[in-house]
Amino acid sequence: MSSTHSPSSAVSNELGIQLRAWRDTRGKSQLDLSLDTGISQRQISFIESGRSTPGRHNLLHLADALDVPLRERNTLLLAAGYAPIYAEGGIDDVEMKGVTDALRRMLVQHEPFPAVVMDRYWNVVMTNDATQGFFNNFLDMAAREKPRNLLHLMFDPAGLRPFIPNWEETAKSLMARVFRESVGRVIDMHTKALIDALLAYPDVDSAWKVSTTADSTPVIPLSFVKDGQVLSFFSLVTTVGTAQTITTQELRIECMFPLDDATEVEYAKLMKQAAARWRQTGK
């Protein structure tokens, strides 16, 4: 069992505030957390009140029981006076090569349909060729500032929004996804800033933040209109299992699939036209 020590009150109070906030977020009582971890309820109470700080092993055990994301576990460690232990590198770092190679294989295997790799804040970090080819049918993707953010692309009246026939329903479902798919189901300040930026677009209702999308269909389609033809897709989202770094935990792969046979046929025609246009103009 890791030892419990009593550092300065400023440090321990900050840790206690954070631990209590995570427990409240997960809807667990001190007794629940005690039963989950084997750490006494009395000790958990002492930690939250700032009377003591757990050893690093116990702190990580508490974080694991509360499903605290790796980025926020580093914050807990710092609040307790320990050094962070979870690395955050770039996707192109040498240590990430095995993961990025696997991601590239997934993207290639998903051709001829669009697939993207995004970070925690919906910024696109990798795509397959079909993604660029498909979305260039609606706007010049090269003209969009990097990092390209998928949500801004959908909400922006100068982006894909004019080509989405049921845009309001789509926007509501995307807003619900921000909450549902946020890492650890927690809205941090960067995610909040993203939501605020989306709410600042014209005709976006702040009530969408708390709306739920209940539907009898098995998936929520994402539809686009091109030359009067509606193309409907649905997505499968994949995450990296048992991630040990912040970067890998926060990545997700979104693969688009045609929702019906008509979309698959029209999509093939559209991509054939796009390929011919590329050969002629390079765009």
Side-chain angles (χ1 to χ4, degrees):
M1 180 74 70
S2 297
S3 62
T4 300
H5 57 279
S6 300
S8 68
S9 60
V11 172
S12 57
N13 281 342
E14 176 59 30
L15 174 62
I17 291 168
Q18 290 189 32
L19 184 63
R20 186 164 56 251
W22 277 107
R23 188 170 54 74
D24 290 343
T25 297
R26 299 305 185 220
K28 290 190 175 185
S29 67
Q30 289 182 348
L31 178 58
D32 292 331
L33 189 55
S34 175
L35 292 172
D36 288 343
T37 61
I39 298 171
S40 72
Q41 183 178 354
R42 181 171 180 268
Q43 185 176 345
I44 292 171
S45 176
F46 278 11
I47 295 167
E48 292 189 0
S49 66
R51 294 177 64 182
S52 66
T53 296
R56 189 171 69 174
H57 173 80
N58 271 2
L59 178 56
L60 293 174
H61 194 27
L62 291 167
D64 191 54
L66 292 169
D67 192 25
V68 178
L70 302 185
R71 181 184 296 276
E72 283 71 23
R73 292 189 194 199
N74 276 350
T75 303
L76 285 174
L77 287 164
L78 285 169
Y82 301 116
I85 63 173
Y86 298 102
E88 180 183 11
I91 194 170
D92 294 321
D93 287 359
V94 174
E95 295 79 5
M96 287 286 292
K97 186 177 185 305
V99 174
T100 54
D101 285 350
L103 293 175
R104 289 190 182 97
R105 284 193 290 272
M106 289 182 67
L107 295 177
V108 170
Q109 289 296 318
H110 195 62
E111 299 281 1
F113 303 114
V116 300
V117 178
M118 296 181 290
D119 67 14
R120 177 178 190 161
Y121 306 111
W122 297 67
N123 295 311
V124 176
V125 296
M126 296 171 66
T127 70
N128 62 3
D129 291 340
T131 302
Q132 189 84 0
F134 177 66
F135 288 116
N136 271 341
N137 285 287
F138 305 98
L139 68 160
D140 182 4
M141 291 297 292
R144 302 286 300 190
E145 184 179 351
K146 292 184 178 180
R148 298 180 187 116
N149 185 280
L150 190 62
L151 289 174
H152 279 289
L153 199 61
M154 298 294 182
F155 276 70
D156 189 352
L160 290 171
R161 177 170 164 176
F163 305 98
I164 301 175
N166 54 340
W167 179 78
E168 183 172 319
E169 290 77 11
T170 298
K172 288 179 182 178
S173 70
L174 287 172
M175 194 72 79
R177 281 187 58 188
V178 173
F179 288 86
R180 186 173 65 249
E181 296 177 10
S182 56
V183 177
R185 307 181 305 283
V186 170
I187 302 300
D188 65 1
M189 78 179 179
H190 293 294
T191 303
K192 184 179 182 303
L194 173 60
I195 292 170
D196 289 342
L198 298 176
L199 292 172
Y201 282 115
D203 302 316
V204 178
D205 191 336
S206 61
W208 296 355
K209 289 193 299 182
V210 294
S211 67
T212 58
T213 53
D215 201 308
S216 59
T217 59
V219 296
I220 299 173
L222 175 62
S223 299
F224 302 92
V225 174
K226 178 67 176 178
D227 299 329
Q229 291 287 341
V230 177
L231 296 94
S232 297
F233 301 85
F234 71 96
S235 295
L236 290 181
V237 178
T238 308
T239 58
V240 179
T242 59
Q244 295 299 305
T245 68
I246 293 171
T247 306
T248 51
Q249 185 181 59
E250 295 182 353
L251 290 175
R252 68 179 182 277
I253 309 97
E254 181 146 357
C255 299
M256 292 173 56
F257 293 85
L259 188 61
D260 49 50
D261 292 341
T263 292
E264 187 163 359
V265 170
E266 291 301 323
Y267 176 83
K269 293 178 183 177
L270 193 65
M271 295 301 282
K272 187 175 181 179
Q273 294 169 4
R277 185 171 60 249
W278 172 262
R279 287 193 296 270
Q280 291 177 355
T281 66
K283 296 183 180 179

